Amino acid sequence: MSGQDGAGPIRVLVADDQTVVREGIVMLLGLLPGIEVVGAAADGEEAVALVERHHPDVVLMDLRMPRCDGVEATRRIRAAHPETEVVVLTTYADDDSLFPALRAGARGYLTKDAGGEEIARAVADVRSGAAGLSPQVQLRLLERLADEAGVAAPPAAARPGPAAASPAELPDGLTAREAEVLALIAEGLSNTEIAQRLFVSPATVKTHINNLFAKTAVRDRAQAVAYAFRHGITGTQQ
């Protein structure tokens, strides 16, 4: 992983009002290769000031903080420093937390049960211009798309699996297996969970994902979820 100039580490600022949590995140990030912590803020006001001072590549932003909450801090940071990306790292994944943060300009959203690998991936994804969303958040976005489109999503057990369609019926030259993997991404499953579901190795899942991303011209899992929804490639295999 590299920073803005493509040579150095990704420069990260941490914002969280709980001292123990903030220090723990800083310590965790310090153990991850390719990431440099350039500052830590105890609230949104301090986060905005530290971004002005340090110009980090990415801010890991808590939402519920005193003086200035994470949504307002995100809005101000993105307006003044569009080159700095924001990944929300919060306890809350409800709609009242998620969608205001995304509308404010956050490109990533994780809950605090995320592990170091997931945080590092989200940071790298947003720095490269992609979205850094947890599988659960991707699924919630899909459900919101369905709600806004007025489509009642049937229960998973009632949804047809993509393997029922022949390759000729699938868009962009997707194979049946690639469509199956895409459907499971849309269900919110991680690579490891997909591998367990399909009884294959994580490396095989990654190969399928790389292939289907190339065929569908999507850049990240969030775009893949939207693609799956548009083309009706949803539902789990029974």
Side-chain angles (χ1 to χ4, degrees):
M1 294 182 296
S2 61
Q4 189 169 1
D5 60 5
I10 301 176
R11 304 173 70 253
V12 177
L13 175 75
V14 176
D16 196 296
D17 65 318
Q18 297 182 26
T19 302
V20 172
V21 174
R22 184 173 65 252
E23 292 178 350
I25 295 171
V26 169
M27 184 178 299
L28 173 63
L29 293 176
L31 299 174
L32 299 176
I35 292 179
E36 175 189 358
V37 179
V38 298
D43 56 53
E45 286 287 354
E46 188 177 6
V48 173
L50 289 178
V51 168
E52 181 69 33
R53 183 184 309 169
H54 296 294
H55 300 281
D57 298 315
V58 179
V59 178
L60 274 179
M61 182 75 74
D62 189 21
L63 286 183
R64 303 189 183 181
M65 297 184 291
R67 294 208 298 165
C68 173
D69 66 23
V71 171
E72 178 59 25
T74 296
R75 184 178 296 111
R76 290 166 58 183
I77 289 168
R78 294 292 293 148
H81 303 279
E83 74 283 359
T84 296
E85 303 291 354
V86 176
V87 174
V88 170
L89 184 61
T90 181
T91 305
Y92 309 97
D94 56 282
D95 287 6
D96 290 341
S97 301
L98 169 61
F99 294 105
L102 296 180
R103 284 194 292 268
R107 289 186 61 89
Y109 198 106
L110 302 173
T111 54
K112 287 182 179 176
D113 58 357
E117 181 180 348
E118 189 173 1
I119 293 172
R121 183 169 57 248
V123 166
D125 284 346
V126 300
R127 193 66 200 89
S128 66
L133 304 174
S134 70
Q136 293 79 9
V137 170
Q138 294 175 35
L139 180 58
R140 184 65 200 103
L141 287 174
L142 177 62
E143 292 170 344
R144 181 66 171 258
L145 282 171
D147 290 343
E148 292 179 350
V151 176
R159 298 175 193 165
S166 69
E169 296 171 331
L170 295 169
D172 295 317
L174 291 175
T175 66
R177 179 60 101 182
E178 289 163 356
E180 188 175 16
V181 170
L182 178 58
L184 294 173
I185 291 174
E187 290 292 327
L189 273 64
S190 66
N191 286 11
T192 299
E193 291 168 332
I194 294 172
Q196 293 170 347
R197 181 74 64 86
L198 300 180
F199 302 102
V200 298
S201 71
T204 297
V205 172
K206 187 173 181 180
T207 297
H208 287 313
I209 290 175
N210 289 339
N211 290 340
L212 73 88
F213 274 28
K215 289 180 179 180
T216 60
V218 301
R219 294 188 306 174
D220 53 57
R221 295 175 83 94
Q223 290 185 356
V225 170
Y227 179 96
F229 176 73
R230 287 197 307 271
H231 293 277
I233 304 175
T234 57
T236 56
Q237 296 303 297
Q238 302 301 314

